[in-house]
Amino acid sequence: MKGKLIIISAPSGAGKSTIIKYLLDRGINLEFSISCATRAPRSSEKDGVDYYFMSVEEFRKKIKNDEFIEWEEVYKDQLYGTLKSEIDRIWSHGSHVLFDVDVKGGVHLKNIFKNIAISIFIMPPSISELEKRLIARGTDADYKIKMRLEKAAEELMLADSFDNIVGNNNLEEAENEVYRLVTGFLDN
Ligand code: ADP
Ligand code: 5GP
């Protein structure tokens, strides 16, 4: 079957992964699209579960072989991309695809899949709150947090390109709103 696609994007620290985990735990017919990434795994992350971790050389070979539906150099020398085979893998299970991609990647995927995709932008209350959340998350070195915050300002300007914008001030409200949008889209 050719299923539908749910695209979730936001600046780093806005709450994407938390909301995605909530959605995946709800028993909706959704499977997470595992991206390729060239950064090192965090301590809690597993290869083939959170990402397919690989070297820049391996990643570049896949670009050359036209294996990606989209890819971005999200941060300097850090490449992230979605394999075409990942979408086929999930659809072959009869599931819909759930993407966690950066803001440019989200706009790109929506342009490719149009009305079989819904794109949702998770809006943080402010950049200073993003900083607080990234520090509290404790997974990134200071220079990485700085890189993420610098990028956030430009990402916020693309929010209007998404089908929906969901504010994540109160997490429970944001989760409920994303759940409502996703199930509404899948039911139609
Ligand atoms: P992203 O995947 O967008 O980088 P995360 O889901 O990892 O963001 O969230 C970043 C941090 O902020 C996590 O530690 C998470 O628990 C926390 N967080 C998420 N939403 C909220 C919220 N509404 N209020 C406070 N903290 C939040
Ligand atoms: P992180 O390093 O925090 O896991 O992810 C950094 C950023 O890369 C996040 O915004 C995440 O959504 C994005 N990202 C993850 N996978 C992909 C992908 O396949 N394509 C694109 N364009 N961005 C991705």
Side-chain angles (χ1 to χ4, degrees), residues 16-56:
K16 268 185 319 270
S17 313
T18 309
I19 291 172
I20 283 173
K21 185 168 181 315
Y22 174 85
L23 277 180
L24 290 170
D25 289 346
R26 294 278 80 66
I28 315 168
N29 187 18
L30 278 181
E31 242 188 274
F32 182 63
S33 165
I34 304 166
S35 295
C36 296
T38 64
R39 72 158 168 74
R42 296 176 182 140
S43 55
S44 62
E45 288 177 332
K46 288 200 176 63
D47 186 37
V49 175
D50 300 282
Y51 283 108
Y52 302 115
F53 292 102
M54 62 187 64
S55 65
V56 173

Side-chain angles (χ1 to χ4, degrees), residues 10 12 16 35-36 39 42 45 51 70-72 74-75 80-82 100-102 105 137 148:
S12 183
K16 268 185 319 270
S35 295
C36 296
R39 72 158 168 74
R42 296 176 182 140
E45 288 177 332
Y51 283 108
E70 66 79 36
W71 67 272
E72 297 283 338
V74 177
Y75 305 108
Y80 294 80
T82 306
D100 173 340
V101 290
D102 86 322
R137 191 170 70 183
R148 283 159 193 263

Side-chain angles (χ1 to χ4, degrees), residues 88-145:
D88 293 335
R89 181 183 73 77
I90 294 172
W91 280 349
S92 77
H93 300 163
S95 305
H96 305 293
V97 184
L98 178 61
F99 294 109
D100 173 340
V101 290
D102 86 322
V103 173
K104 271 199 207 155
V107 173
H108 192 167
L109 286 169
K110 174 66 189 184
N111 282 338
I112 295 171
F113 291 104
K114 303 200 164 56
N115 62 353
I116 62 163
I118 182 173
S119 62
I120 302 175
F121 187 97
I122 309 296
M123 179 66 84
S126 63
I127 303 255
S128 61
E129 174 64 23
L130 273 187
E131 184 172 15
K132 277 189 207 147
R133 289 184 191 175
L134 287 173
I135 293 169
R137 191 170 70 183
T139 54
D140 296 287
D142 287 357
Y143 79 96
K144 287 199 176 157
I145 293 185

Side-chain angles (χ1 to χ4, degrees), residues 56-72:
V56 173
E57 291 70 34
E58 271 179 276
F59 195 103
R60 295 226 174 264
K61 204 155 124 197
K62 291 190 186 300
I63 297 175
K64 214 165 144 200
N65 292 340
D66 197 25
E67 291 180 54
F68 290 113
I69 186 141
E70 66 79 36
W71 67 272
E72 297 283 338

